[in-house]
Amino acid sequence: MTRIAVIGAGLSGLVFANTLGDAAQIRLFEKSRGYGGRMATRRHEGFQFDHGAQFFTARSKSFQSFLEPCLEAGVVTRWDARFVEIDSDGISGRRIWNGEHPHYVGVPGMNALGRVLGEKLDIVLDTPVDKICGEAGDWRLHDLEGRDLGRFDWVVTSVPAGQVAALMPVEFSHLGAVEGCSMPGCYALMLGFSEPLSLEWDAALVRNGAISWISVDNSKPGRVDGTSLLVQSSNQWAEANMNRTDRYVVSQLMVETSRVTGQDFSRAEHIALHRWRYANPGQRRGARSLIDSRQRLAAIGDWCIRGRVESAFQSGVDAARRMRSLV
Ligand SMILES: Cc1cc2nc3c(=O)[nH]c(=O)nc-3n(C[C@H](O)[C@H](O)[C@H](O)COP(=O)(O)OP(=O)(O)OC[C@H]3O[C@@H](n4cnc5c(N)ncnc54)[C@H](O)[C@@H]3O)c2cc1C
């Protein structure tokens, strides 16, 4: 059977491996301790935060069908949030999300979907791949210490675009397309409180400032009770402040959160920050996955389409479908 290495076990890599797993021997390498990538959840003493993707929508029939068994099993559910839009003059719009345009979350955390998808796969965790050496049909992977991670016929990267160029051999014919793809960063500020907050909403899209999103994460279904507020910076602010200290970023985002909501959040009993170096790619036109059949190399990920959970799914499925006749 053809041996395929997938670098990265975010949604695109997991979907790819599940879709093509009957036709090839697939091993995934993931640098983190768990899988799911940017569909991430962090817990701390009674608080719980989805510090990457907040929710996702399903516009395509294929993603809707894929989600059906997950919805039945309760791994994914609808989040009918009280949603507001906030601009410079305060709240400018309000609505309650409902079944007409469903907004989904993983249960009990956003990482649940990845966990289920990874259950039956061959995944090597805690293993950042540093180099791909060799030639088409005989690729060898190495980790940061130069350890040999095995030989493979094909290598598929499912990492953010900014990391593809550093990993892929120069022979990869789609490098130009990857390099043109920007993925601005984002900060996620996690605040835990000993008491409920007096906010009239669960989720807020914030415009024109350092902050782009605030959600009361314990309002999502199936969460722990601890009052958990998740604040995301805007991509522009993150890019301008990417090399600042955590202390600076936390203090700025706290001040801004209090200003936007009109409440003092300095009483938070838990404060943590996560820096996403590569967070949200813009829209990209072209193939949903980049496959070089001569070199037996491929690159997938949300950035092939757009920074959305659904796009990561579509990219993984597209590559699996096109590679089926090649492996
Ligand atoms: C702050 C934030 C908010 C978001 N909000 C939303 C939202 O509300 N709705 C929505 O639809 N989408 C949202 N997204 C986007 C969504 O999370 C992504 O579109 C989707 O999760 C991308 O999946 P992926 O598989 O393409 O990439 P990733 O999830 O990034 O997976 C890549 C994987 O590769 C691993 N990796 C990287 N380099 C290496 C290496 N050298 N060796 C081994 N492993 C490696 C990483 O650890 C990661 O697990 C958000 C993202 C962020 C960061």
Side-chain angles (χ1 to χ4, degrees), residues 16-39:
F16 170 83
N18 273 287
T19 313
L20 197 61
D22 60 330
Q25 196 180 329
I26 303 177
R27 172 167 287 181
L28 295 95
F29 296 93
E30 169 55 50
K31 72 175 178 187
S32 314
R33 274 176 300 156
Y35 31 91
R38 278 171 281 156
M39 295 183 79

Side-chain angles (χ1 to χ4, degrees), residues 7-13 29-32 36-39 51-57 127-129 158-160 163 167 186 232 276 278-280 301-302 306-310 312:
I7 304 175
L11 187 68
S12 61
F29 296 93
E30 169 55 50
K31 72 175 178 187
S32 314
R38 278 171 281 156
M39 295 183 79
H51 57 296
Q54 290 303 298
F55 64 86
F56 53 92
T57 51
T127 305
V129 176
S158 68
V159 303
Q163 293 166 321
L167 261 180
C186 177
Q232 280 174 2
W276 293 101
Y278 303 105
N280 305 105
D302 63 340
R306 194 178 179 201
R308 292 278 184 279
V309 167
E310 183 167 14

Side-chain angles (χ1 to χ4, degrees), residues 1 47 70 94 106 119 152 172 237 241 273 293:
M1 237 184 183
F47 303 117
C70 307
R94 267 176 212 278
E119 260 167 11
F152 299 90
F172 182 50
W237 193 87
N241 293 280
L273 184 74
S293 54

Side-chain angles (χ1 to χ4, degrees), residues 3-14 16-17 25-37 118 121-133 139-144 146-160 163 167 300:
R3 283 172 53 89
I4 303 177
V6 176
I7 304 175
L11 187 68
S12 61
L14 294 168
F16 170 83
Q25 196 180 329
I26 303 177
R27 172 167 287 181
L28 295 95
F29 296 93
E30 169 55 50
K31 72 175 178 187
S32 314
R33 274 176 300 156
Y35 31 91
L121 298 176
D122 174 7
I123 306 180
V124 186
L125 293 174
D126 272 324
T127 305
V129 176
D130 188 45
K131 275 204 171 56
I132 306 169
C133 308
W139 294 114
R140 271 162 291 127
L141 304 189
H142 297 278
D143 70 7
L144 288 167
R147 276 190 296 255
D148 188 353
L149 299 173
R151 303 171 92 96
F152 299 90
D153 302 300
W154 276 82
V155 179
V156 178
T157 64
S158 68
V159 303
Q163 293 166 321
L167 261 180
I300 61 175

